[in-house]
Amino acid sequence: NHPQYGFMPPDDFIPQAEQTGTVQKLTEFALKTAIKKCVMMQESGFPVKIAVNLSVRDLLNRHLPAWLDSLLLEQGLGVEFMVLEITESAVMEDPEFSLGVLRGLHDKGFSLSIDDYGTGYSSMAYLKQLPIDEIKIDKSFVTDLAKNREEEIIVRSTIEMGHNLGFKVIA
């Protein structure tokens, strides 16, 4: 919430943060803040999970899994209370390297989610290689679901495919 311009949605500033290289500082702030809030909720008797989006640049940081692991340990939050969300396009920036970082995160117990599923580039063959736990169907397919038969078919098919692959599916 900018003091002069008011509310600024992430789509307005994330691309600039990625281009200028400041997105990792933004991610660090978001993760620290989210983890602290989650710990506060836990201590108040609300065992909620938190979900934090990672950017393209975050997936190019080989130190991310160890840093996140130490941050959770420092704050006293179990890994089971955290979901890391990535987009298909973020993985496709450097698929081999990103896959290594994702495997490192998954090996440490982090739940991984593909956000905005259906708008990116991944094929079914590539999707099954990712160490993910859930897919979130993009809102563009869900918004007019009740009025659009084609979108209903896409969403229903995606849910069935996701479940058959062992993923949680969020629409």
Side-chain angles (χ1 to χ4, degrees), residues 1-8:
N1 200 2
H2 191 275
Q4 183 180 353
Y5 303 111
F7 177 74
M8 296 178 68

Side-chain angles (χ1 to χ4, degrees), residues 22-121:
T22 57
V23 76
Q24 288 179 331
K25 291 285 185 196
L26 189 58
T27 299
E28 184 178 320
F29 171 78
L31 284 164
K32 285 181 177 179
T33 303
I35 290 169
K36 284 179 184 176
K37 297 278 185 188
C38 189
V39 168
M40 287 171 46
M41 295 292 286
Q42 302 278 332
E43 290 171 348
S44 297
F46 299 100
V48 297
K49 281 188 172 187
I50 57 167
V52 178
N53 291 73
L54 297 179
S55 82
V56 173
R57 300 290 172 242
D58 296 320
L59 292 182
L60 298 176
N61 178 0
R62 73 172 44 88
H63 304 293
L64 182 66
W67 179 80
L68 260 173
D69 197 34
S70 68
L71 182 60
L72 287 178
L73 187 63
E74 172 187 307
Q75 295 297 321
L77 184 67
V79 71
E80 68 273 14
F81 294 106
M82 179 158 230
V83 178
L84 300 173
E85 297 182 356
I86 53 171
T87 61
E88 296 170 79
S89 55
V91 175
M92 298 311 288
E93 178 84 12
D94 186 339
E96 198 170 308
F97 192 88
S98 296
L99 191 55
V101 172
L102 290 174
R103 284 189 180 128
L105 290 165
H106 195 262
D107 290 347
K108 290 190 175 292
F110 288 95
S111 291
L112 301 174
S113 177
I114 294 287
D115 197 12
D116 303 332
Y117 182 78
T119 60
Y121 313 105

Side-chain angles (χ1 to χ4, degrees), residues 120-138:
Y121 313 105
S122 68
S123 68
M124 299 300 166
Y126 191 70
L127 182 65
K128 70 180 186 178
Q129 293 178 19
L130 295 175
I132 60 172
D133 303 289
E134 69 181 33
I135 56 176
K136 291 175 66 180
I137 300 172
D138 187 69

